[in-house]
Amino acid sequence: MHRFANPTRFMRISAVLLPWCAIAAAVFVAIGLYGALFVAPPDYQQGEAVKIMYVHVPSAWLASLVYAVVALASAVALIWRHPLAHIAAESAAPVGAGFTFVCLVSGSLWGEPMWGTWWVWDARLTSVLVLFFLYLGFIALANAFDDRTRGSRAAAILAIVGVINLPIIKFSVDWWNTLHQKSSVFRMGGPTIATSMLWPLLVMATGFLFFFATLLMLRMRAALLRAKVRALRFGM
Amino acid sequence: MSSFSALVTRDLRLAFRQGGDVANVVAFFALAVILFPFGVGPDPDLLARISAGVLWVTALLAALLSLERLFDADYHDGSLEALSLMPVPLEVQVLAKCAAHWLTTGLPLTIVAPVLALVLHFDAAGYPALIAALLLGTPVLSLIGAIGAALTLGARRAGVLLSLLVLPLYIPVLIFGVAASEAAALGLESRPHLLLLAALFAASLALAPWAAAAALRQALE
């Protein structure tokens, strides 16, 4: 892994990978959308509104996955002091906040016709909302210092504190109130969701994953170039 | 141990010499609680119903209000740098700071809370659980708050940032604190909630000093 921590090598490899990731994202999302909108059957209770799921669920998965990426990159940055890991964490966080926001908004749009309300103080919704604020805190802390490295390190510590706290918050919120349906894909004894609905969902999730990889590389490249410009301009 | 108590005594002495710190926290707590009857109306049943939640939320905010002074003065006058050169590990110093912070916020809040509970018509049966929950929960607020206070040292607009970082992490304490107080007031078993609060206390006692000390180290670099 240390071999890839070299910014120059990263720039070279990412330049090759970036277009392929972008194409993969577009193809998977296109197939997933076709499957979701034309192949998958409407739900017998929820009708066509169930198709919000194909955006809602992948963004919910990505929201938690990206937080794990941020925390992992932060840990790597603090332990081995790779500057690239700081850049990865800070580039991933706004994308993760975006996925969390999409998850909240699509959930709200889905909840209105299904539950008859835009928002309920249900356990899963509330944990995602808290996750959104954890992202905001990370981004705000990373940008709160005149000295950028200071901000990066503080935010990295916060990400690790957050990842330890997330299960505790999740548990306590579950304890506090539970309307959201239980997870129907990842469970003991296999998924309870029909195959015709499952495959577009998984294809969409893969597309989202490639989309995240594309954005992450794009943002990291931009951050590296920005640092280079700053170094050239101020001779630091 | 003697250096630990010396550190606690130093912080307490500073807090009392400067004066007003404890009084401000308690005054804020009382005022914020008193605003609620104006906001929701003087109906005793309604007030009794929301009293545990109101007390906990305002106690949380009062504790948050005083967090900024945890390391800030020491950081700006350079004594934090001097303290970090002591043979005592920074983690122990963080614990001492948290102990002093709790003695000047958490403890006064716990003492005042029953009086304010009376004003909100909180059910008499709930008092022991409310006090026990506050005694277990407020140290967690100081410990988690220490991480936030250390992380935001020297940041721009540190106060607002601190609340953004710390408040989401306070949610478990709020949930179990209110649950314990309400369960007792409704004549239910409050023990499981108190045990969970105790678990939160134990976990934060073990983990928070490491995180806060790490944050202090990179602030001092």
Side-chain angles (χ1 to χ4, degrees):
Chain A
M1 193 178 68
H2 298 280
R3 256 172 355 102
F4 300 105
N6 178 333
T8 325
R9 187 169 289 142
F10 170 78
M11 287 302 264
R12 214 170 49 230
I13 294 172
S14 62
V16 179
L17 284 180
L18 190 58
W20 292 106
C21 267
I23 292 168
V27 169
F28 273 104
V29 169
I31 298 174
L33 272 182
Y34 176 79
L37 295 179
F38 300 109
V39 180
D43 191 78
Y44 80 104
Q45 274 179 327
Q46 304 193 0
E48 297 289 342
V50 75
K51 297 193 167 165
I52 297 174
M53 177 183 81
Y54 299 102
V55 173
H56 176 69
V57 173
S59 46
W61 287 345
L62 262 288
S64 353
L65 180 83
V66 175
Y67 198 85
V69 169
V70 171
L72 192 70
S74 297
V76 169
L78 285 177
I79 296 167
W80 290 291
R81 306 236 161 176
H82 288 321
L84 202 60
H86 277 309
I87 291 175
E90 278 162 50
S91 305
V95 184
F99 281 125
T100 317
F101 187 70
V102 170
C103 173
L104 286 169
V105 170
S106 59
S108 182
L109 291 174
W110 194 7
E112 211 285 325
M114 291 311 118
W115 299 335
T117 169
W118 297 104
W119 181 261
V120 283
W121 287 99
D122 160 74
R124 293 187 102 181
L125 276 76
T126 313
S127 333
V128 174
L129 188 64
V130 174
L131 181 66
F132 184 59
F133 280 108
L134 287 179
Y135 272 122
L136 290 190
F138 179 91
I139 297 166
L141 188 62
N143 295 312
F145 295 89
D146 296 325
D147 175 10
R148 283 218 55 93
T149 51
R150 168 97 172 76
S152 307
R153 292 222 190 115
I157 296 176
L158 181 72
I160 293 166
V161 171
V163 97
I164 295 173
N165 264 283
L166 261 180
I168 302 175
I169 296 175
K170 183 90 184 65
F171 168 74
S172 62
V173 171
D174 277 343
W175 183 285
W176 170 69
N177 195 4
T178 286
L179 187 73
H180 197 289
Q181 57 182 329
K182 289 280 172 285
S183 179
S184 41
V185 178
F186 296 119
R187 59 187 289 283
M188 304 284 273
T192 56
I193 178 172
T195 324
S196 59
M197 294 168 96
L198 183 61
W199 76 259
L201 184 61
L202 293 181
V203 171
M204 277 297 266
T206 317
F208 270 52
L209 202 59
F210 275 113
F211 178 57
F212 166 62
T214 310
L215 278 185
L216 180 62
M217 277 195 273
L218 206 62
R219 288 182 57 86
M220 284 176 72
R221 289 174 63 83
L224 282 169
L225 291 174
R226 205 182 301 126
K228 198 180 263 179
V229 168
R230 210 182 295 133
L232 286 174
R233 189 179 290 162
F234 301 111
M236 298 156 57
Chain B
M1 200 63 216
S2 67
S3 43
F4 180 83
S5 55
L7 282 167
V8 177
T9 325
R10 169 182 177 270
D11 271 20
L12 287 181
R13 204 173 279 150
L14 278 174
F16 286 113
R17 291 246 172 95
Q18 285 162 358
D21 273 352
V22 180
N24 280 343
V25 170
V26 170
F28 173 84
F29 184 39
L31 253 176
V33 167
I34 287 166
L35 284 180
F36 276 88
F38 292 110
V40 301
D43 174 27
D45 291 334
L46 177 65
L47 286 176
R49 168 84 191 78
I50 62 170
S51 55
V54 168
L55 285 171
W56 270 97
V57 172
T58 42
L60 217 88
L61 294 176
L64 181 74
L65 206 65
S66 59
L67 275 179
E68 225 181 323
R69 67 153 202 263
L70 200 55
F71 302 112
D72 203 51
D74 283 350
Y75 176 70
H76 281 292
D77 68 11
S79 26
L80 198 63
E81 214 140 334
L83 286 171
S84 72
L85 297 174
M86 273 174 58
V88 187
L90 209 51
E91 285 78 9
V92 176
Q93 296 189 31
V94 170
L95 266 184
K97 288 265 178 205
C98 290
H101 181 259
W102 181 74
L103 286 172
T104 53
T105 55
L107 190 61
L109 289 179
T110 311
I111 294 170
V112 182
V115 183
L116 292 171
L118 201 70
V119 182
L120 292 178
H121 306 281
F122 183 68
D123 194 281
Y127 279 87
L130 175 71
I131 294 167
L134 279 167
L135 280 176
L136 285 171
T138 45
V140 185
L141 303 183
S142 298
L143 285 160
I144 294 177
I147 305 175
L151 283 173
T152 52
L153 276 182
R156 280 177 257 124
R157 288 179 298 281
V160 188
L161 187 58
L162 182 60
S163 45
L164 179 61
L165 302 190
V166 165
L167 283 179
L169 304 180
Y170 276 0
I171 291 172
V173 181
L174 178 64
I175 290 175
F176 295 120
V178 172
S181 318
E182 267 182 354
L186 295 170
L188 302 168
E189 187 72 55
S190 64
R191 207 174 114 83
H193 307 290
L194 288 175
L195 287 177
L196 282 164
L197 267 181
L200 285 179
F201 178 34
S204 57
L205 193 63
L207 296 175
W210 298 98
L216 282 182
R217 276 197 197 97
Q218 53 91 18
L220 290 171
E221 252 174 33

